[in-house]
Amino acid sequence: MELFFLFLLVVIMATALGSGYPVAFALPGAAIITIVAAAATGYVFVGNPDAYFHSGGPSQWLTAGVTNLRGIYLEVERDTLIAIPLFIFMGIMLQRSKIAEDLLVTMAQLFGPVPGGLGISVVFVGALLAATTGIVGATVVAMGLISLPAMLRNNYSQSLATGTIAASGTLGQIIPPSIVLIILADQLASAADQASTLRKALHKEATGELSMPTTFDVSSTSAGEMFLGAFIPGLVLVLLYMAFILIFAILRPKLAPAVPYEGQRDAKFWGQVLLTLVPPLALIFLVLGSIIGGIATVNQAGAIGAAGALIMAGYRLPEKGTPGIYIPAIIAIVGLGLIAFALSTYEMNIKALIVNGGDMTGIYIGAVAVGLVVFALIWSGLRVLRIENTMQEVMLETAKTTSLVFIILLGAAMLTAAFRAFGGEELVRDYLNALPGGFWSQFIIVMAVIFILGFFLDFIEIAVVVVPIVAPILLAAPDANITAVWLGVMIGLNIQTSFLTPPFGFALFYLRGVAPAIVKTVQIYKGVIAFIALQLAALAIVGYYPQLVNYLPNRVSLLSESSPPPRNPRLQYCLEDYVHAQLEGGNAELSSAIERARDLDLSILPQRVSAELSGAFNDAETAITTIDQVWVAHAAVEQAAPAYRPQLLEVRDIERAIRGLQREADEIHESIRFLDAASSGDRIAEGEAKIAAIEEEIAHLQGEIPETWADAYKTFSALINEEEGLRNTYRRSADGSVEPVINFLAILDGNSAFAELEQQLLALGDIIQTADADAAEDALKEAGSAFGSIAGANEVSSDLSKARRVLRRGDIDAALGEWRNAVASYEQQAAWREAANSQLRPGLEAYLDATADTIGARQQDRLSREQALFLAGCSADHRDLSLFF
């Protein structure tokens, strides 16, 4: 019956959507109707409203839906949700400003003489509008009204012209900033948490270990990472479109002829080109550049985009020749220039300046600059409000569109809860896990389903209904170990085809509505076929080269001010790749630095400190030797893996099937456990028979596990354990090679503070003898704390603490004795501190500099640029973890 109600849920939802019923009500309505129907049926026929639910009951799952709603509604501070209205406002404002018209006309004049130039200009403008407005309907309509007549007048093929316009108009769905990417980031963030739980459970079942190494965990994503990840794939798609049009025009020039520009390409022409191109490009740079550069979050970038759109509308909406038309924009540019000058020239941390004192000039300049920008925004806003009441209309459209997106998100939360209530999630998981071929067969099936759904559903519906169900399963698979940002971009590219695929391709409807009667609908449908194929080709390219998605987010993360430290567990494999590459074939400079460090005269130091430094130099040699051994062990694992992996996959598939059967048996046992034997004997007997059949099937599956599996698993596990053991040895040795040296130099850095406490220490003798007990104790405590805050001065601090304790007992002589011990410790330490600072510091600093790029990399505060770039490229590929599961 659970399957029946699951089927009923899907049928009600599909019927409602197919009949044109609003999505915002179709999704939660289908969920509520199905849950109530299941509860009523269970109550009528079995006397238990919970009977036909996979687990729990109707109140639990209705509450789960409401909880999901509340969670989404109340967590408005999340990047993925706050950014939505900001980018919607930006897009609608730019669309109303008729930026598309200016761009299309100018680009057509610029690219016209090139074969297929009009088509290429449409793609170029589509890409620019995608990075600014991101509104498919407005972009397709604008380009259809302006470009399509021009292309037809110049004898362009109807199919090519309409296909180019429709496809270019959809670029806003994958080129950031994109609402699709924001919604996908929101869904994938939750899916990554679920996938992490699934992978941990899988690791425990496969290995028997209670905890999973953090390096095997699932990586989540954010809207900012999605923007970064989609940037290069978006450009790849644009280049594919342009290349196709150019090749088509070269092969069939009569269907895409060049259009010479009849005017003069003089200074006025190029000035118009710059005036048309620079503002949108500058806005793109400010929005995306601030995210890529790590300067702004997605929320802040959305606010920047909204403000920029308002400034551009302020000079674009008034008629040309209006007095002072560009003054607000100029004021805003001056304000931004002053802000950039202040940030680059002065200290702008106002709290630090107030607390510590300093030059406030930068703060004053920044305040004036912000005032100028705010004044320009107010002026532009008043203009936009006054001209055809544009501001009010844009705000109203923003509110409507934002409400639509949020209501669909809320409805999808209830639908997902209902889907899980009837076991749909486990059904999908079991089906995908049962597919042969591991992750890639699952992924291809999911992509095919999403592609087919795109024929009938809108992108938001697919993102909020399908992604929460399938994403946790795909992200949890260890054999591919994909990143959430890669999966999001792949789904985004796939969803983009939904705008072009009939019968419900919205871009086709938009274009049909503005195309002249001479253009037949069949020509529009024929025109998009090639571009759908290009979108699928882009999907294949990005799927085969995950670096196209992962590299840019990794690069920005590792080069940012908040980059993870080199000791982050997720960075270790790639960092060791880097170190091995640096040391491969020997490193004479590093070896020489170690030898010079060994030649330092450590006899001036206390024995303990000298032993620690000598041990560091020994660890350096151990680390160099061990990193080579790591790669020998790694090569052994790689050599054995091809023969071991098929057997591993076979056994894991069998074990997965056994676990599924065992869950089924447990569910049957749970359903009959509390039944009364007198009234439900037949049902109990039927359940026990099913359990017996399942146990027989489990025994049969267990017999299919190869007899050689235990030995193969033991042998391969030994190889993996040897590699992991050597890696851990390398990491301990690498840390030990520099950590004592860093700590010792920190001691020497405190020499000045240590010397300044001498008089305070010597004065304690008189205080102990002459002052009252409380005052003497306070003085000892103060001095002890002062020495305790200095690296390496713990002995002095300890002696002073002892003096304070015995003084508390009233024993002044004992306190003086401990004080004299403190003075002796101070004098002894002062002697070797000064000598070490002059004789050892240069050599130790040279040693750290020589090791910083290799064995000392883990102990750095942050990665060097060269290291960060190497790690960004290394971690951009997906590392197969199936051998560890």
Side-chain angles (χ1 to χ4, degrees):
M1 287 299 290
E2 293 172 13
L3 290 178
F4 170 77
F5 286 108
L6 184 63
F7 176 75
L8 181 63
L9 173 70
V10 175
V11 168
I12 293 174
M13 179 190 70
T15 303
L17 293 176
S19 65
Y21 199 73
V23 178
F25 302 108
L27 301 183
I32 294 171
I33 291 172
T34 310
I35 290 175
V36 171
T41 305
Y43 181 78
V44 170
F45 291 99
V46 186
N48 181 10
D50 302 350
Y52 298 133
F53 289 87
H54 182 67
S55 62
S59 60
Q60 173 186 336
W61 288 108
L62 287 174
T63 304
V66 173
T67 301
N68 289 342
L69 302 186
R70 189 183 299 118
I72 292 177
Y73 180 74
L74 293 181
E75 295 179 15
V76 293
E77 70 277 6
R78 295 194 303 187
D79 289 352
T80 49
L81 299 181
I82 291 181
I84 289 176
L86 294 172
F87 284 119
I88 289 175
F89 175 88
M90 169 184 165
I92 296 175
M93 182 61 75
L94 289 175
Q95 182 262 326
R96 292 297 182 91
S97 302
K98 302 178 182 178
I99 300 295
E101 297 180 15
D102 294 345
L103 285 171
L104 282 168
V105 172
T106 303
M107 291 303 100
Q109 295 171 349
L110 198 59
F111 288 106
V114 179
L118 284 180
I120 293 174
S121 68
V122 169
V123 175
F124 184 84
V125 171
L128 286 180
L129 294 177
T132 52
T133 68
I135 300 176
V136 172
T139 303
V140 172
V141 168
M143 293 195 297
L145 289 172
I146 302 167
S147 294
L148 185 55
M151 296 173 81
L152 296 178
R153 281 198 308 271
N154 288 282
N155 300 318
Y156 263 69
S157 161
Q158 289 187 7
S159 298
L160 178 64
T162 55
T164 300
I165 292 171
S168 300
T170 66
L171 288 171
Q173 300 308 298
I174 193 62
I175 294 180
S178 163
I179 302 301
V180 177
L181 297 177
I182 296 175
I183 294 173
L184 284 172
D186 179 61
Q187 300 298 321
L188 288 169
S190 300
D193 293 337
Q194 299 175 45
S196 177
T197 302
L198 291 174
R199 185 176 289 185
K200 289 173 183 175
L202 181 62
H203 185 267
K204 182 180 178 181
E205 291 172 348
T207 65
E209 298 177 6
L210 296 178
S211 61
M212 183 182 71
T214 56
T215 53
F216 296 166
D217 210 349
V218 178
S219 60
S220 187
T221 188
S222 64
E225 287 186 339
M226 287 293 292
F227 283 5
L228 294 171
F231 186 71
I232 295 177
L235 294 182
V236 169
L237 192 57
V238 170
L239 292 176
L240 284 176
Y241 286 175
M242 289 183 172
F244 167 73
I245 295 170
L246 181 62
I247 294 171
F248 184 91
I250 292 173
L251 295 178
R252 306 186 69 178
K254 291 184 179 180
L255 299 181
V259 182
Y261 176 56
E262 298 178 356
Q264 295 293 325
R265 295 181 180 271
D266 51 14
K268 183 180 179 181
F269 170 81
W270 291 110
Q272 183 61 38
V273 170
L274 290 176
L275 187 61
T276 303
L277 275 180
V278 169
L281 288 176
L283 187 60
I284 294 170
F285 175 79
L286 285 174
V287 174
L288 299 184
S290 61
I291 297 174
I292 293 173
I295 299 171
T297 65
V298 174
N299 292 346
Q300 294 162 349
I304 292 171
L310 186 60
I311 294 291
M312 290 174 65
Y315 70 77
R316 181 61 185 83
L317 286 176
E319 295 181 1
K320 292 184 179 180
T322 302
I325 189 172
Y326 294 110
I327 291 179
I330 294 172
I331 292 175
I333 293 172
V334 171
L336 291 175
L338 288 175
I339 290 173
F341 171 75
L343 289 172
S344 61
T345 309
Y346 298 96
E347 170 62 48
M348 297 296 288
N349 188 327
I350 189 169
K351 182 178 179 180
L353 291 173
I354 293 174
V355 173
N356 302 323
D359 187 2
M360 296 288 288
T361 304
I363 302 298
Y364 299 142
I365 294 175
V368 172
V370 170
L372 291 175
V373 173
V374 171
F375 178 71
L377 285 171
I378 294 173
W379 191 344
S380 299
L382 291 174
R383 274 186 175 179
V384 173
L385 180 63
R386 189 172 61 251
I387 299 174
E388 298 179 0
N389 206 22
T390 303
M391 176 66 83
Q392 181 178 343
E393 293 180 1
V394 169
M395 293 294 287
L396 187 60
E397 287 297 317
T398 301
K400 288 180 179 178
T401 307
T402 303
S403 300
L404 175 64
V405 172
F406 274 70
I407 290 173
I408 292 175
L409 286 172
L410 302 181
M414 293 200 70
L415 182 73
T416 303
F419 191 80
R420 290 171 179 158
F422 301 113
E425 190 172 36
E426 289 192 12
L427 189 67
V428 172
R429 185 188 306 125
D430 292 341
Y431 169 74
L432 291 177
N433 288 335
L435 291 173
F439 166 83
W440 288 107
S441 62
Q442 301 172 2
F443 179 73
I444 291 171
I445 291 294
V446 168
M447 288 290 108
V449 169
I450 291 175
F451 178 73
I452 294 171
L453 288 176
F455 283 72
F456 310 101
L457 300 180
D458 183 33
F459 72 93
I460 296 180
E461 298 158 27
I462 297 174
V464 300
V465 174
V466 178
V467 173
I469 297 169
V470 300
I473 301 168
L474 297 177
L475 290 173
D479 51 333
N481 190 34
I482 60 172
T483 59
V485 64
W486 179 83
L487 179 62
V489 171
M490 291 293 288
I491 293 174
L493 280 169
N494 199 347
I495 288 177
Q496 187 182 352
T497 62
S498 68
F499 283 90
L500 300 181
T501 49
F504 299 125
F506 292 102
L508 307 180
F509 292 154
Y510 297 141
L511 187 57
R512 174 68 277 174
V514 297
I518 192 176
V519 178
K520 304 302 181 184
T521 301
V522 68
Q523 294 296 329
I524 298 177
Y525 283 179
K526 286 173 59 178
V528 298
I529 292 174
F531 290 94
I532 292 173
L534 291 174
Q535 289 177 336
L536 295 178
L539 194 66
I541 292 171
V542 175
Y544 193 77
Y545 297 104
Q547 298 90 338
L548 294 173
V549 174
N550 294 327
Y551 177 74
L552 195 55
N554 289 346
R555 178 188 173 105
V556 171
S557 172
L558 294 174
L559 289 176
S560 68
E561 290 296 326
S562 58
S563 62
R567 295 192 68 172
N568 187 300
R570 289 182 176 274
L571 303 179
Q572 295 316 300
Y573 280 90
C574 286
L575 187 59
E576 285 154 18
D577 282 356
Y578 176 83
V579 173
H580 180 257
Q582 296 296 107
L583 296 179
E584 195 172 15
N587 190 312
E589 183 181 350
L590 177 60
S591 300
S592 177
I594 295 173
E595 288 303 316
R596 288 195 301 271
R598 285 188 177 280
D599 292 338
L600 293 174
D601 182 11
L602 303 180
S603 61
I604 60 176
L605 301 176
Q607 185 176 359
R608 177 183 58 81
V609 178
S610 176
E612 289 177 353
L613 292 177
S614 297
F617 307 145
N618 294 333
D619 281 341
E621 293 184 343
T622 303
I624 294 173
T625 304
T626 307
I627 196 69
D628 291 331
Q629 295 173 350
V630 166
W631 251 250
V632 172
H634 180 70
V637 171
E638 291 294 310
Q639 185 177 0
Y644 173 73
R645 183 175 280 109
Q647 194 171 4
L648 171 69
L649 295 176
E650 178 186 359
V651 173
R652 294 305 184 224
D653 285 342
I654 294 173
E655 292 176 343
R656 191 181 299 114
I658 290 174
R659 288 194 296 271
L661 290 171
Q662 189 61 56
R663 282 196 300 269
E664 184 180 350
D666 292 341
E667 290 171 3
I668 295 173
H669 176 75
E670 192 68 23
S671 66
I672 65 175
R673 185 171 60 162
F674 298 110
L675 293 179
D676 181 61
S679 59
S680 305
D682 293 342
R683 188 176 174 187
I684 292 174
E686 182 183 355
E688 290 176 345
K690 287 182 179 179
I691 292 174
I694 290 173
E695 289 175 347
E696 183 178 346
E697 188 174 354
I698 289 175
H700 174 71
L701 287 173
Q702 289 174 336
E704 292 185 356
I705 296 177
E707 295 180 359
T708 59
W709 165 245
D711 291 336
Y713 178 76
K714 182 179 179 181
T715 302
F716 195 81
S717 295
L719 292 176
I720 288 180
N721 291 336
E722 181 181 3
E723 181 187 347
E724 288 302 305
L726 287 170
R727 287 186 184 274
N728 289 330
T729 299
Y730 163 76
R731 292 165 191 169
R732 287 193 298 270
S733 300
D735 292 344
S737 68
V738 296
E739 201 166 18
V741 179
I742 292 173
N743 293 338
F744 181 72
L745 290 177
I747 291 174
L748 298 185
D749 289 338
N751 281 3
S752 297
F754 185 81
E756 290 174 358
L757 295 176
E758 180 178 9
Q759 296 303 318
Q760 183 179 355
L761 175 64
L762 296 177
L764 289 175
D766 292 337
I767 293 174
I768 293 172
Q769 296 179 73
T770 60
D772 62 82
D774 291 339
E777 280 189 42
D778 291 341
L780 286 168
K781 181 179 180 180
E782 181 183 352
S785 297
F787 277 105
S789 64
I790 298 174
N794 290 334
E795 291 183 11
V796 180
S797 178
S798 177
D799 290 335
L800 292 176
S801 296
K802 292 176 183 177
R804 185 161 59 91
R805 284 197 296 271
V806 296
L807 183 62
R808 189 179 298 124
R809 297 198 301 266
D811 192 343
I812 295 178
D813 292 336
L816 287 171
E818 295 296 346
W819 167 74
R820 293 188 187 97
N821 291 338
V823 173
S825 296
Y826 176 87
E827 291 173 347
Q828 180 185 14
Q829 193 171 144
W832 66 255
R833 274 177 176 266
E834 190 59 36
N837 194 54
S838 59
Q839 299 175 31
L840 301 180
R841 178 188 280 275
L844 293 176
E845 288 178 342
Y847 170 81
L848 286 182
D849 290 341
T851 59
D853 200 41
T854 51
I855 58 176
R858 278 169 50 87
Q859 291 297 319
Q860 298 178 107
D861 294 331
R862 56 185 296 116
L863 295 166
S864 68
R865 180 176 179 81
E866 182 181 355
Q867 292 168 343
L869 294 178
F870 181 92
L871 265 62
C874 172
S875 56
D877 203 359
H878 296 145
R879 175 175 170 242
D880 185 353
L881 299 177
S882 61
L883 297 176
F884 299 91
F885 283 76

